[in-house]
Amino acid sequence: MTITPVTPQAMTAEQREQFERDGYLIVRNVLSPDEVAHYAAAVDRVYAEHEAVGKLGADASLHKLSAVASCPELNGLVDHPAVFPLVWSMIGWNVHVYHSHLDVHPPIKQTKPYRFEWHQDGGRQNGELETDPRPRLSVKLAFWLSDVSEPGRGNFKVVPGSHKMNRIDGPPSRDIEWPDPAGAIEVCVHPGDAVFFDRRIWHARSNNYSEITRKAVFFGYTFRWIATRDERPAPEHVARLNPVQRQLVGALEGRIDDPVDGGDHAWGYFPDEVPLYTDLKERGLLDSSFPWLRR
Ligand SMILES: O=C(O)CCC(=O)C(=O)O
């Protein structure tokens, strides 16, 4: 597989300003055509396995949680050097993937019943945190493996700038037809592009009434002091991961397994044992002007 060589670098001041303003960034050409083919083939394999045992959705879609545990070939996406720096630039080194999924949405042949899909990520984080706006807490990367460069292809929809809004107007129940929020857009991206977004941005998947099967992989990153809802990959797959990938998928070993110190490890009390911390330190990328990049 040919990978476009990239030296990890912190997000630029322009990217930070745009992300703070809009709540998302589109990064073009993150994956080479070879990488797109490689990852799409892996996703296709998982899809075929689920299809063979009748485990697709009613619309023949697949929304499979725990991306790396479910499809070990996706491990190279979890710390992809072209976009992973956006993650640690925004939330630092004490992070892991807490929620990830691979998604396959074939063309829908019959109109689906309406469902209001707009949401912020994090479930009850959005009811149980008292501030306005609520804190960011997590960010997400979406890698696009199919062409959604035109609207109507099951595009990811966002309301730019809505990440500071604790609520939007919505129907009394999710099956009642309701207009999209003011300012909503369909994000148009090519295979190999990535979208980086704040979990708080109001977003939704749209229905794919095009002729093209939509394929994407999503990784949500948060602080290690927030519990993961992802499964850990099997030991034979963990063996192939680099130390930062192991941190991200919750597969570090050693003190982290200690009944007492393990909690402190997740709370970030032992930075020198956290692979992303040591990696950034060696590269001189720990910019102490950001609290989450301090020791
Ligand atoms: O699949 C999509 O376009 C949206 C995914 C989504 O809602 C999410 O990642 O929280």
Side-chain angles (χ1 to χ4, degrees):
M1 172 170 66
T2 312
I3 300 177
T4 316
V6 197
T7 308
Q9 276 175 343
M11 104 198 283
T12 64
E14 291 73 30
Q15 285 176 316
R16 189 178 292 281
E17 193 186 326
Q18 193 182 339
F19 190 72
E20 293 286 6
R21 184 191 63 221
D22 297 341
Y24 77 106
L25 290 175
I26 297 174
V27 190
R28 304 282 178 192
N29 300 315
V30 165
L31 305 178
S32 67
D34 256 20
E35 286 176 283
V36 171
H38 169 80
Y39 294 121
V43 166
D44 286 347
R45 176 185 60 72
V46 175
Y47 183 86
E49 284 167 8
H50 284 70
E51 187 176 31
V53 293
K55 285 202 170 161
L56 298 178
D59 58 357
S61 67
L62 178 67
H63 175 64
K64 182 74 182 170
L65 301 182
S66 303
V68 175
S70 302
C71 184
E73 300 96 310
L74 299 178
N75 64 357
L77 292 179
V78 82
D79 63 340
H80 196 288
V83 278
F84 182 55
L86 300 173
V87 173
W88 53 256
S89 293
M90 286 315 300
I91 61 169
W93 50 265
N94 194 37
V95 296
H96 62 175
V97 171
Y98 78 120
H99 175 47
S100 61
H101 38 100
L102 60 94
D103 291 89
V104 180
H105 286 84
I108 299 172
K109 300 292 177 208
Q110 281 170 347
T111 307
K112 274 175 80 169
Y114 180 80
R115 190 171 152 81
F116 186 81
E117 295 286 0
W118 290 96
H119 65 281
Q120 297 179 301
D121 283 343
R124 289 183 64 88
Q125 288 179 356
N126 300 305
E128 293 170 351
L129 292 167
E130 69 276 22
T131 57
D132 190 354
R134 287 182 282 264
R136 177 177 287 127
L137 290 183
S138 72
V139 291
K140 211 162 188 179
L141 275 174
F143 293 91
W144 297 91
L145 303 177
S146 66
D147 188 343
V148 267
S149 62
E150 288 176 21
R153 296 182 175 177
N155 304 53
F156 178 57
K157 294 199 290 188
V158 297
V159 183
S162 62
H163 53 302
K164 303 276 174 71
M165 292 163 59
N166 273 6
R167 67 175 303 282
I168 56 166
D169 189 34
S173 81
R174 295 183 78 171
D175 55 352
I176 294 177
E177 288 213 31
W178 205 260
D180 273 353
I185 58 162
E186 294 193 32
V187 176
C188 291
V189 282
H190 293 92
D193 291 346
V195 179
F196 178 58
F197 59 101
D198 184 314
R199 70 154 190 102
R200 301 167 299 175
I201 197 168
W202 288 90
H203 61 281
R205 183 183 310 130
S206 57
N207 288 330
N208 178 14
Y209 292 114
S210 77
E211 296 300 316
I212 301 170
T213 294
R214 188 195 97 142
K215 295 175 201 171
V217 183
F218 292 76
F219 292 99
Y221 302 82
T222 196
F223 305 105
R224 293 197 306 150
W225 37 264
I226 291 180
T228 185
R229 48 174 295 189
D230 262 12
E231 276 172 47
R232 187 190 273 220
E236 65 271 27
H237 299 309
V238 169
R240 290 200 288 267
L241 302 181
N242 69 38
V244 170
Q245 292 170 343
R246 287 182 196 195
Q247 170 185 332
L248 295 175
V249 302
L252 290 182
E253 282 174 355
R255 199 202 296 257
I256 186 79
D257 294 319
D258 183 89
V260 177
D261 279 356
D264 282 350
H265 202 291
W267 281 20
Y269 287 177
F270 308 111
D272 297 321
E273 297 174 18
V274 179
L276 183 55
Y277 177 85
T278 54
D279 187 63
L280 295 178
K281 189 175 171 191
E282 275 161 28
R283 294 177 194 272
L285 291 169
L286 290 172
D287 179 346
S288 60
S289 39
F290 300 110
W292 49 88
L293 284 171
R294 286 187 202 133
R295 189 180 167 88

